[in-house]
Amino acid sequence: MLLLVQNADLYAPERIGPRDILIAAGRIVAIADRIDPAGLPAPCEVLDARGRFVVPGFVDSHVHVTGGGGEGGYRTRTPELVLSGALRAGVTTVVGVLGTDGVARSMEALVAKLYGLREEGISAYGYTGSYRVPLTTVTGDPVRDIMMIEPILGIGELAISDHRSSKPTDAELARIASEARLGGMLSGKAGVVNVHLGDAPAGFEPLERIVAPGDLPRTQFLPTHCNRNPIVLEQSVAWTLAGGYADYTTSTVPRFLEEGESSAAESFALCLSRKVPADRITWSSDGQGSLPSFDAAGKLSGLLVGTCASLLSALREAVKVRGIPLETALLPITANPAAALKLTRKGRIAPGMDGDLVVLDRDLKPVSVVARGRVMIRDGQELVSGTFENIDPLEAAP
C-alpha cells in the first residue's frame, strides 16, 4: 500500500512550501507539486494535510525507555515508555538510555524494549552503559556491544560533575571515548559518548581536558543537560563554538527554572545570539527519567517524571516566544540529532529517507503522525496503540 500525503506545507526541515509526498515500503519515494493518485501503480492511502505544516518525525535522543529514577528508593522508580507517549509528541525515533540505575535496569531489558518499540511501529536505538564506571554492558565489552548489537549506537548515559556519578578519572573517560570511537568506526555507527552533566561547578572541565590533546574530536561526545545552570550553559556555548554538540533537556519544572535552569528554547536562542551554528544544538526530553530535586543536605526532596511531550513545548516556545523561525526551531529535534547519531535516513523529508512525518496544526500541535510509512495517528485519532495500553486487566482475567 502506498501512502500519499497531499497539500502539505512542507518543512524538510527547511521551508519547501506546498507539496505532495509519496511513501512506499516505509520510504519517501517522491515529492512533487502535485501527485495524482489515479496515476499511481498501486492502491493508495491518502492523508490530507491541507492548511497544516508537515515536518520530519521527531528524533528524541535521550529517553529512559525502560524507566529511570530510583533516587528516593524503590518506590520512586519511574515507569517505562509506552508507544503513545512518543507518538502523541510526534516522536518517531527514540534513543534509549539507562541512567542512574544500571543494576535493576539492565542492558538486556533496554535492548529488549528497543526491539519491542520497533515491533510496535517506531524506530528505536540505544546506548550501552549507565551513569557508572565500570560500564554496564550486554557482552562485557562496550566495543562488542556497539559492533554486534544493531540498535546500540554508542556509550551513555555516563555521568560526570554529579554527586551520583562514580567520579571517573580523566584516563577512564579517555578510554571510554576511545572505545566508543573504535566501536563506531568498525560498525559504521556514530560511536559517541552521551555524557550526563550534573550541577557540580566543574561542568565541562573533564571533557575539555580529554579533548585538549587533539586526538579525540569534540563530536565524540554528546553532552546533555547543558541548560541545567548558568555555568554549564556558558560552558556549552564555548564547547559548541569550538566545534562540539550540546544537548539541551526539554523536560523541566518551575522550581528548576527558578533555581537557574534555562529552558531548551531559551538556551537555543542564546546560542544563536552568540553565533553558535544552528546545526550544533540538539534537544532531548529525558523522557521517563526522574526530575529529582535535592535539599541542601543532598536528600531527595521532590520527584517528577520527564516526558517526550516536552519537545513540543520547547518547539512552541522557540517559535512563539523566542521568535525563532520554524525551520530553525525544528533542527534540534530533527536533522541535528540524526546527523550527530549518524541516523542517515532520519531527520529530513526527502526521497530515500524513512517515511517519518508529523502533521502540525498552526498552533504546532500534532494532528497526524506517520512512522516508517504507517499512519499511527490520523486527525487526532490514535490508530495504533502500544501492546498493553488498551487492555483492562479485569476484563482480561478468566
Side-chain angles (χ1 to χ4, degrees):
M1 174 72 75
L2 303 175
L3 174 64
L4 178 59
V5 181
Q6 292 184 319
N7 306 308
D9 186 354
L10 178 58
Y11 285 75
E14 66 276 9
R15 175 74 192 281
I16 304 295
R19 293 291 190 278
D20 288 356
I21 306 162
L22 183 64
I23 299 174
R27 300 274 185 88
I28 299 169
V29 295
I31 299 173
D33 292 342
R34 171 67 179 167
I35 299 174
D36 185 358
L40 297 175
C44 177
E45 180 182 3
V46 175
L47 179 63
D48 189 1
R50 187 180 303 276
R52 292 165 173 167
F53 304 119
V54 175
V55 305
F58 301 156
V59 179
D60 195 342
S61 60
H62 189 106
V63 183
H64 296 270
V65 294
T66 56
E71 292 95 333
Y74 299 115
R75 66 183 178 84
T76 64
R77 288 158 48 87
T78 63
E80 69 178 40
L81 178 71
V82 296
L83 182 66
S84 64
L87 291 176
R88 291 172 188 166
V91 173
T92 57
T93 300
V94 297
V95 181
V97 298
L98 285 183
T100 316
D101 182 2
V103 177
R105 310 282 191 184
S106 72
M107 274 302 303
E108 290 81 358
L110 176 66
V111 172
K113 179 66 176 182
L114 299 177
Y115 285 130
L117 289 168
R118 290 182 174 192
E119 290 178 0
E120 290 180 332
I122 64 174
S123 300
Y125 303 89
Y127 294 109
T128 188
S130 64
Y131 269 28
R132 299 170 56 229
V133 176
L135 299 173
T136 301
T137 67
V138 175
T139 66
D141 178 0
V143 177
R144 186 174 285 111
D145 276 15
I146 296 169
M147 288 185 64
M148 297 302 171
I149 304 175
E150 185 271 327
I152 299 301
L153 302 176
I155 294 172
E157 167 192 17
L158 179 65
I160 64 171
S161 302
D162 192 289
H163 64 96
R164 294 163 292 176
S165 81
S166 57
K167 312 300 181 187
T169 65
D170 287 0
E172 287 174 321
L173 279 176
R175 177 180 55 79
I176 288 168
S178 296
E179 289 183 332
R181 185 170 182 80
L182 177 61
M185 292 174 65
L186 294 174
S187 62
K189 298 177 184 177
V192 298
V193 182
N194 181 236
V195 179
H196 165 105
L197 288 165
D199 280 317
F204 271 81
E205 291 175 10
L207 298 184
E208 292 286 2
R209 292 195 298 269
I210 298 304
V211 300
D215 55 331
L216 289 170
R218 291 172 187 267
T219 51
Q220 187 61 48
F221 300 94
L222 184 57
T224 190
H225 313 319
C226 295
N227 49 326
R228 68 164 62 250
N229 63 46
I231 294 174
V232 173
L233 178 59
E234 285 294 332
Q235 291 174 331
S236 75
V237 172
W239 177 266
T240 53
L241 285 171
Y245 287 107
D247 183 71
Y248 299 108
T249 303
T250 55
S251 289
T252 189
V253 294
R255 179 176 175 181
F256 291 0
L257 298 173
E258 292 168 1
E259 293 175 348
E261 182 175 279
S262 298
S263 71
E266 180 183 9
S267 301
F268 190 29
L270 173 68
C271 288
L272 295 176
S273 73
R274 299 282 188 85
K275 308 303 180 184
V276 172
D279 63 0
R280 312 314 292 173
I281 304 302
T282 66
W283 295 343
S284 62
S285 71
D286 204 16
Q288 305 309 123
S290 63
L291 301 175
S293 54
F294 299 91
D295 62 22
K299 183 179 178 181
L300 183 74
S301 58
L303 185 67
L304 294 173
V305 180
T307 171
C308 294
S310 62
L311 295 179
L312 291 169
S313 299
L315 179 65
R316 286 194 288 271
E317 180 188 341
V319 175
K320 296 180 177 295
V321 178
R322 307 292 170 182
I324 299 173
L326 179 58
E327 57 266 38
T328 304
L330 286 166
L331 290 173
I333 51 176
T334 59
N336 291 358
L341 297 174
K342 290 189 177 180
L343 301 177
T344 56
R345 296 202 305 269
K346 302 295 184 184
R348 304 192 65 83
I349 298 176
M353 304 297 282
D354 285 349
D356 298 335
L357 311 174
V358 183
V359 181
L360 298 172
D361 66 16
R362 294 290 158 168
D363 195 35
L364 304 181
K365 295 178 181 178
V367 292
S368 298
V369 178
V370 178
R372 295 180 350 211
R374 182 183 182 188
V375 181
M376 312 293 273
I377 299 176
R378 177 189 282 270
D379 295 326
Q381 180 181 359
E382 295 181 23
L383 306 182
V384 181
S385 298
T387 306
F388 297 104
E389 287 191 69
N390 295 324
I391 293 179
D392 185 333
L394 295 178
E395 291 182 4

